[in-house]
Amino acid sequence: MKKLIRFALAGGLGFVVDASVLAVLLHLTPLGPFIARLIAIALAMATTWAFNRTFTFDRSGRSLAAEGFRYGSVGVTAALVNYALYSALLLSLPALQPLVAMVLATAASMFFSFFGYSRFVFREKAE
């Protein structure tokens, strides 16, 4: 249960970074919602990696490079799912605010992320 709570905290932290960066980029730059979201996702992913590696999951026993590759694989896949949902929402519902689309897409992709990180990245290496 502690792991799930810490994962939720990491996700909450990533969400704050994602939403903050998206809002700042939309407000202060000429970047559109699609490019701004790519930057926001990348920064949020780096934030959650640092938190999850430090506080959420035990070490896997794999090398740092192997663990990092696995984390990146799951993270990029989850980000692609998140971004695809976000884009689909904005394209199918043009009046929808980008931040609302981000919240919905992030919530949907969270389940994929937890499963991938707990089962594929940070699960102890089989002997």
Side-chain angles (χ1 to χ4, degrees):
M1 191 62 171
K2 284 183 180 178
K3 192 179 289 188
L4 188 58
I5 292 170
R6 289 179 184 159
F7 183 78
L9 289 173
L13 181 62
F15 177 81
V16 168
V17 169
D18 193 355
S20 300
V21 170
L22 179 62
V24 167
L25 290 175
L26 289 174
H27 195 67
L28 299 178
T29 71
L31 297 174
F34 299 103
I35 298 298
R37 186 70 203 286
L38 288 175
I39 295 167
I41 286 173
L43 291 174
M45 191 183 314
T47 302
T48 59
W49 173 80
F51 189 94
N52 280 327
R53 178 156 175 68
T54 306
F55 299 109
T56 306
F57 299 105
D58 294 329
R59 301 212 182 256
S60 66
R62 294 178 184 86
S63 71
L64 184 61
E67 189 176 289
F69 176 76
R70 286 174 174 248
Y71 191 92
S73 298
V74 172
V76 167
T77 304
L80 289 173
V81 168
N82 188 329
Y83 189 73
L85 291 171
Y86 170 80
S87 297
L89 285 168
L90 286 182
L91 293 173
S92 63
L93 303 169
L96 188 66
Q97 292 295 313
L99 288 176
V100 174
M102 186 208 69
V103 169
L104 296 172
T106 300
S109 66
M110 181 181 70
F111 295 104
F112 174 83
S113 298
F114 182 78
F115 179 78
Y117 291 138
S118 64
R119 302 288 183 206
F120 184 66
V121 178
F122 292 107
R123 188 173 73 185
E124 271 190 51
K125 181 180 176 183
E127 303 267 335

